[in-house]
Each structure stands twice: as structure tokens, then as C-alpha cells.
Amino acid sequence: MSTLQEKMYSELEQKEIFKQALDNGLAYLETIFNRNVYPSEEALLNLTQFDEELSVDSTNPKDVIDQLHQYGSPATTATLGGRYFGFVASSVTPIGIAAKNLATFWDQAPAMHVLSPIGCKLESVVEKWLVDLFNLPKDTCAGFVSGTSTANLCGLAAARYHILKKNNWDINEKGLRNAPEIRIITGKHAHSTVVKAISILGLGKENIEWVDVDDQGRINTELVPELDQNTILILQAGNVNSGAFDNFEQLCKKAKKAGTWVHIDGAFGLWAAATEKLNYLTQRMELADSWAVDAHKTLNTPYDSGIILCANRAALVSALHMSGSYIIHSEQRDGMLYTPEMSRRARVIELWATLKYLGKKGIDELVYTLHQRARLFTDKISVVDGFYVENDVVFNQVIVRCETDTLTESTLKRIQELRDCWLGGSAWFGRKVMRVSFCSWATTEEDVDIAIRSFQKALAIELAVTD
Ligand SMILES: *Cc1c(COP(=O)(O)O)cnc(C)c1O
């Protein structure tokens, strides 16, 4: 054995570093719910501890984990807790952490069934569960990717393949040069990752036919141009600012009639479909052709976990698989047929564990509670002088502003500095706004109160400064 091998075998045998890492993780858990939500100034300064040349000699493994815990743990954002309202970042379920810990030892890559029987088995099980939960067409297939950015890319790649194939044009063989034209229609509030996917796919941002939206950011159905068979219509379940949903009932029906491919970006909003009191928001979305959704947002699984769901299995597989034809490698499911990557981590393990742990009722309760917290926050902030809620809070996103753009910006900065909670800014119909996203299972009514007090305190300080 080489010296390094001996060292590593002995680390495996002694298990000390695993215990150390677990102890550190558990210590982290103890403090994270009461800690400042954003890292302290000191913690941020201490990040310079990582500015070092790669050492020539091997480092003691205990020191490696120590450094991570001592300087890394304090420099995390407390997304695990209940008062991180930034972006659409969720917490993580305890079962998700636990399953991920076990899976860490497995280190599986579900590219092919022979490479990871358990990984591929869970992917085929979860595929069925998701199709059932979201009430999608029976043959809908799922690809387990890093997030909705990639899921959007995959859905649109399937659409591109399918439309060109109908025109006797094999994109995989011929590429885009001289290819028949594909039209793309989407709303002016489409997520930036949708636009990015369009550019990566060579479809061209300039070619997008943008549709005006209403005051909630929903596509104005009356303004949608004539649809046809060579068109991709991109809709959204959950506007990233307002949480609003496009009118799938009208738009999907219309598209279906015209033979138009509909892709739905449902990164966080698609979960409304699995929630009894909120599924009115996603009525008839099952008429679409592809859906992108994250598990690491609304469902609170560990990062990273996104899913592309596609009703046209052949189109998705042909678009993502090198050979361009619909080949089944084994009797069982080979995960790589449904994703752009060959090797990737078996993120489905934590997704499976979270779904199994929650059950349909638990999923419903988790998602509906996010909505209830958003409603509670809205009710409370609306009666505080100086704050205005700018959207209809139909899901989990709340848009708040102050009297002027300047005051909104400085108050937001102050809230961030207070560190009792954390949220980011955005623009909403030309105005600066604060965006409060309720996406953590851990958010309690008390967390909402703490956030409200922080908003009040921040505004009071800013008003005193300007006086
Ligand atoms: C978050 C989000 C995305 C991007 O998803 P990632 O998981 O971050 O890649 C796309 N669309 C919407 C509406 C989102 O909220």
C-alpha cells in the first residue's frame, strides 16, 4: 500500500473525522435558529482564512474539518432557519439532511442502472410519484437535474427537437444552420433562466415574441399572438416577484388546439398543484408538454434538486441523448437518458426521502403553511405605517415598498444590516421593491413577528436619518 492509501484506510477505520464532522454539524444546528441570519462582519472578514496557497504536504484531516467549521459555519447564511426570506431559498427538512448523510457514504451516480441500481430505482419511483402528485399525463417522464435553470433548458431542448423533427429536420444531425424557424412566445416577466436557455439553445433572444403582462405579472391572454405548430409557448407557475400564475386554463387549451408546445417554468409554484386549497392556481396545467420544477425550493429538499417533467418521452430523450434516437439501454431506467449529464449525484435519494416522509398530506400542509405565513406577514405589514404591499399574495411571495424608491432601498439595506432576517430587493413595474419569500418549512408565526419588528425598526432608523 502507498503511504496515502494507508492513511486513508486508517481514517476510514477510525471514523474520527466522520464523528467530528457530524458533531460540528449538530453544533451548527443548535445555534442556527437563533443566530444572526446573515453572517456577522467578523465572520465575513474571517473568510480571508481561506486565502492560502495549496499546501505541498498533506493536511491533517482533523484540521481540514476544523477549518471548515471554525470559519465556514459562521459565514453561512442561516437559510436553515425560519427568517431567511431572500430569493426563493428554502430551508431543508430533517429527513432530507439525514438521507443525504447516508447517501454521502453511498456516493452513487444514477447514470445507468448497472452503475447504481438503487439510484435508478428511486428515480423511477419518484418519477411516478411526481406525475401522480402534479396530476400529469400518465407517460410523463422525469429527469433529475441540478435545478430549474437546467430543467428549463432541457424542456426547451425537447421542444426544439420535437418541432424541428416534425419539419423533417434532425437538429442533432443538422444543427441550426438553415433550420426551419421556431417561434418563441413568452411573457415579459419570464424568469431570466428561461431567457438564458433560449440563448444557449441558439434560438435567439431577439426572436422572442414578448407578451405584455397584467399588474401581477401574468401573461395578458388577449395579447398572445396567433399560435401554430412551430411555436413554443413558455408560461410560468409562480412569478419570481409576485408568485402569480399564468392562466393555464385558457392558454394551454388554445395552444393544444394549435399544436403549440407549452413549457411551464414552475420552479417553486408547480407545488400548488399538490395542494388542495391552492391547486386552483394550476388548473389545466397538465395540458402542457413540459414542466420545470425545483424540489430545493418549495419542497425544502437539500440542494441541488430540480426536475424536468416531459409528456413526450421520445422528444426529451432524443434531445438530451447523444445518439438522438430513442434507445433504452436496459430493461430498467437509465437516468442519463433524461438529463444532459452522464455522471451526476443521486439527488433523488433526498427527494425520495422527503416525499416519503411527508406523504401527500404532509406535502399539502408544508406548502399551505408557506402560503399562510406569507398571508400573515402581509396582513401585519399592511397595517404598519410606511409600508405598502404591491401584489396579490396568492402563493408565497410578498412585494413590499416604502414611500419612495430611495427610502425602500435604504430601509432594505438597514433590514439586511440588522440581520434579524434577510431578504433581497427587486424591481416591480419600474419601482424599487423588497421581495419577501416564504419558502422555509421552519418559519413560525413568531418568526413573522420578529421580521415585522425588524422592518419597523429599520424604517424608523431611516426616517430619523433623513429628518
Ligand atoms: C429559482 C427559479 C428559477 C431557477 O431555478 P434554479 O433552481 O435556481 O436553477 C427559474 N424560474 C423561477 C420562476 C425561479 O423561481
Side-chain angles (χ1 to χ4, degrees):
M1 261 201 257
S2 81
T3 341
L4 184 61
Q5 281 184 308
E6 271 176 26
K7 207 157 122 15
M8 296 211 276
Y9 269 114
S10 111
E11 282 151 16
L12 269 186
E13 201 176 312
Q14 287 171 12
K15 306 183 181 68
E16 280 309 312
I17 48 171
F18 307 131
K19 288 179 191 150
Q20 184 195 350
L22 182 61
D23 285 347
N24 290 340
L26 296 178
Y28 180 79
L29 270 187
E30 296 268 314
T31 60
I32 200 65
F33 290 89
N34 298 312
R35 200 200 74 184
N36 40 294
V37 174
Y38 197 78
S40 67
E41 286 300 335
E42 189 196 353
L44 294 173
L45 285 173
N46 277 339
L47 283 173
T48 52
Q49 292 286 340
F50 293 96
D51 292 328
E52 50 184 354
E53 297 293 323
L54 178 59
S55 56
V56 174
D57 294 318
S58 167
T59 308
N60 184 332
K62 182 175 179 300
D63 295 344
V64 174
I65 302 297
D66 264 350
Q67 183 180 357
L68 269 182
H69 185 50
Q70 188 177 351
Y71 300 111
S73 292
T76 56
T77 46
T79 49
L80 191 79
R83 293 194 303 280
Y84 189 89
F85 307 116
F87 307 98
V88 194
S90 75
S91 178
V92 54
T93 55
I95 193 73
I97 300 176
K100 191 177 179 187
N101 268 307
L102 175 56
T104 297
F105 288 91
W106 293 357
D107 196 31
Q108 295 289 288
M112 284 165 282
H113 193 267
V114 287
L115 186 52
S116 176
I118 177 61
C120 288
K121 181 67 190 178
L122 292 182
E123 286 197 345
S124 70
V125 169
V126 170
E127 178 178 81
K128 285 202 198 78
W129 285 1
L130 292 176
V131 168
D132 175 43
L133 262 179
F134 295 136
N135 193 27
L136 300 178
K138 281 286 167 286
D139 288 333
T140 300
C141 63
F144 298 90
V145 294
S146 57
T148 293
S149 305
T150 307
N152 279 335
L153 182 71
C154 294
L156 296 178
R160 184 183 70 167
Y161 177 88
H162 177 74
I163 290 172
L164 292 179
K165 191 74 184 167
K166 277 192 308 192
N167 286 277
N168 293 317
W169 189 272
D170 185 338
I171 175 79
N172 295 336
E173 297 298 328
K174 295 172 184 274
L176 277 177
R177 192 186 302 167
N178 302 323
E181 200 176 295
I182 296 177
R183 290 174 63 211
I184 303 158
I185 302 176
T186 194
K188 283 194 173 158
H189 278 200
H191 195 265
S192 57
T193 57
V194 165
V195 182
K196 177 165 70 176
I198 290 166
S199 24
I200 294 177
L201 289 168
L203 297 170
K205 285 190 248 185
E206 270 186 18
N207 301 321
I208 300 174
E209 298 172 45
W210 296 103
V211 188
D212 264 331
V213 292
D214 67 11
D215 62 347
Q216 300 301 312
R218 290 173 299 222
I219 284 182
N220 196 325
T221 53
E222 247 119 77
L223 300 179
V224 175
E226 196 69 38
L227 299 175
D228 61 40
Q229 289 203 31
N230 294 331
T231 300
I232 309 172
L233 174 64
I234 307 169
L235 306 179
Q236 99 183 325
N239 177 295
V240 79
N241 288 311
S242 69
F245 293 66
D246 281 329
N247 187 334
F248 304 126
E249 172 118 41
Q250 279 189 29
L251 293 170
C252 290
K253 274 189 188 161
K254 200 168 160 186
K256 196 97 192 163
K257 250 192 217 145
T260 296
W261 183 292
V262 177
H263 173 78
I264 296 179
D265 172 1
F268 61 94
L270 209 70
W271 295 98
T275 316
E276 212 184 332
K277 293 202 190 86
L278 297 175
N279 66 14
Y280 72 94
L281 294 164
T282 54
Q283 283 306 306
R284 306 308 277 151
M285 68 112 169
E286 70 275 8
L287 293 176
D289 299 275
S290 54
W291 306 261
V293 62
D294 274 327
H296 63 222
K297 286 179 178 168
T298 314
L299 192 67
N300 281 244
T301 67
Y303 289 108
D304 45 15
S305 190
I307 306 122
I308 175 63
L309 294 150
C310 187
N312 188 331
R313 191 175 286 256
L316 186 74
V317 172
S318 301
L320 301 181
H321 191 60
M322 284 94 56
S323 77
S325 54
Y326 186 37
I327 300 167
I328 297 290
H329 285 209
S330 64
E331 298 276 288
Q332 277 106 348
R333 182 192 151 100
D334 291 324
M336 72 177 194
L337 296 178
Y338 308 90
T339 61
E341 313 95 330
M342 184 171 247
S343 303
R344 76 204 142 86
R345 69 184 202 89
R347 51 178 67 89
V348 72
I349 298 165
E350 301 104 65
L351 173 53
W352 172 85
T354 303
L355 290 170
K356 165 119 183 159
Y357 166 82
L358 291 170
K360 289 184 183 177
K361 273 194 185 154
I363 295 163
D364 188 298
E365 182 176 336
L366 188 153
V367 179
Y368 194 65
T369 304
L370 300 179
H371 173 63
Q372 283 181 311
R373 295 293 176 266
R375 293 291 331 171
L376 182 67
F377 176 85
T378 303
D379 292 345
K380 294 201 166 189
I381 203 71
S382 304
V383 294
V384 175
D385 266 351
F387 288 108
Y388 306 89
V389 172
E390 292 289 277
N391 65 317
D392 296 340
V393 180
V394 295
F395 200 53
N396 69 325
Q397 304 288 98
V398 188
I399 303 173
V400 182
R401 68 166 173 88
C402 301
E403 202 64 55
T404 64
D405 278 1
T406 319
L407 195 55
T408 301
E409 276 192 310
S410 64
T411 304
L412 173 61
K413 192 156 172 280
R414 187 68 69 171
I415 294 169
Q416 291 173 343
E417 283 165 9
L418 289 173
R419 293 175 162 78
D420 296 322
C421 62
W422 200 92
L423 54 132
S426 190
W428 187 245
F429 291 102
R431 296 204 70 154
K432 305 269 186 200
V433 293
M434 307 182 204
R435 193 177 57 175
V436 201
S437 176
F438 291 83
C439 206
S440 162
W441 70 266
T443 305
T444 60
E445 286 155 354
E446 198 194 339
D447 285 323
V448 171
D449 286 337
I450 294 171
I452 296 282
R453 284 201 293 277
S454 195
F455 273 64
Q456 285 176 303
K457 189 171 164 190
L459 181 59
I461 295 172
E462 289 312 310
L463 288 173
V465 171
T466 44
D467 266 356

